[in-house]
Amino acid sequence: IAFQMKEMLHLQTLALMGQVSKVVDKSLRPKLTEENWWDLFYYTIFSVIHIKQIYKMLQEKQPVQFSQDDLELYELVFQHNQFSPRQFFALKKIATIHHARKGELLAKPGQAIEELLVLIRGECAVSVNGKVTNIVKPGGFVGELEFLRGEESAGEEDSSSKNKTPSQKEEEKGHNTWGPGRHTGAVDITAQATSSVTYLAWKFDVLYDFIQTDKKVALRLEAMLAKDLANKVLQTDTLAKTKGKKQNANQEVAKNILGADGQKTSSIER
């Protein structure tokens, strides 16, 4: 029967029924030995685990009410990256919504990027060291590279600090120059709204704490941000090539104009 079931909820229910039948069978015996008591103990624990899993699955299946903007954002980005409505709803609860006018800065040069942004409406231009590298549209992220770097750094710190004494950990806090939400200082990143913008923002430290409680969300979020980052790299290359082609075309036009002017001048002199 289990091999024919495709729904995990049905499998969990079937497993729960099996565990409960074991508990009933052991408890109704006329004489309970020590071995029977241990069996009852383990079967009861497994039954409780299955009940918790079934409860989570039923919670996931309950409908979630979204606003129109939230629904558009979910269908545009999160649904394609395997986020369930409940997972997106949980992420949305720890985010704050912001509005910016045309020309306002979402990320200022020289300042630490401490929030992960996703655009709901409008567009913004991302500049690195004064040069525009990307145009972020609805569903695009700002600050994903800093978030991923900070998460990796935080993970390394957690693994290295396991073997250190409390005094060593306290001493390192004062010398730590990189971590979640901290700026490397290597580049100046600016994000400027090119139209009226509505966006969601997650504080890095809040988001780090949240994904520690749900590894599935953490993996999907990392994959989604890595994909967005790869698309930005491709867009940067495309913009660079387009600018190069325009410069070459302008140079050709300038040469033709100068050549034509030279010919006119020589004919006039004659």
Side-chain angles (χ1 to χ4, degrees), residues 11-23:
L11 286 171
Q12 289 285 354
T13 305
L14 183 64
L16 176 61
M17 291 170 60
Q19 298 297 332
V20 171
S21 65
K22 293 278 190 181
V23 172

Side-chain angles (χ1 to χ4, degrees), residues 102-116:
K102 182 179 179 180
E104 287 189 29
L105 295 178
L106 311 184
K108 298 179 180 179
Q111 291 189 5
I113 296 179
E114 298 181 341
E115 292 183 324
L116 177 67

Side-chain angles (χ1 to χ4, degrees), residues 245-262:
K245 289 180 180 179
K246 285 183 178 179
Q247 288 178 351
N248 292 334
N250 291 337
Q251 289 176 358
E252 288 295 327
V253 171
K255 286 181 181 179
N256 293 334
I257 293 173
L258 290 173
D261 289 343

Side-chain angles (χ1 to χ4, degrees), residues 5-69:
M5 291 183 176
K6 296 181 180 179
E7 281 281 341
M8 185 58 68
L9 178 60
H10 296 161
L11 286 171
Q12 289 285 354
T13 305
L14 183 64
L16 176 61
M17 291 170 60
Q19 298 297 332
V20 171
S21 65
K22 293 278 190 181
V23 172
V24 173
D25 175 61
K26 297 290 184 182
S27 60
L28 293 179
R29 294 191 179 185
K31 186 178 180 181
L32 293 176
T33 63
E34 184 179 355
E35 183 180 352
N36 295 144
W37 281 112
W38 280 111
D39 290 339
L40 277 172
F41 175 72
Y42 287 121
Y43 292 142
T44 303
I45 289 177
F46 289 133
S47 297
V48 172
I49 292 172
H50 287 307
I51 290 171
K52 289 183 67 176
Q53 292 297 325
I54 290 171
Y55 176 77
K56 286 183 180 179
M57 291 177 185
L58 290 174
Q59 287 290 104
E60 285 284 334
K61 288 183 175 291
Q62 287 184 359
V64 179
Q65 297 295 328
F66 288 142
S67 66
Q68 187 61 35
D69 286 345

Side-chain angles (χ1 to χ4, degrees), residues 231-244:
N231 290 334
K232 280 186 177 178
V233 172
L234 292 174
Q235 188 186 72
T236 301
D237 292 341
T238 303
L239 286 173
K241 290 178 181 178
T242 303
K243 287 182 180 179

Side-chain angles (χ1 to χ4, degrees), residues 41 47 56 106 108 112 132-133 157 161 173 189 202 226 228-229 234 250:
F41 175 72
S47 297
K56 286 183 180 179
L106 311 184
K108 298 179 180 179
V132 176
T133 57
E157 288 177 3
S161 63
K173 284 183 180 179
I189 299 175
W202 289 272
D228 185 79
L229 197 58
L234 292 174
N250 291 337

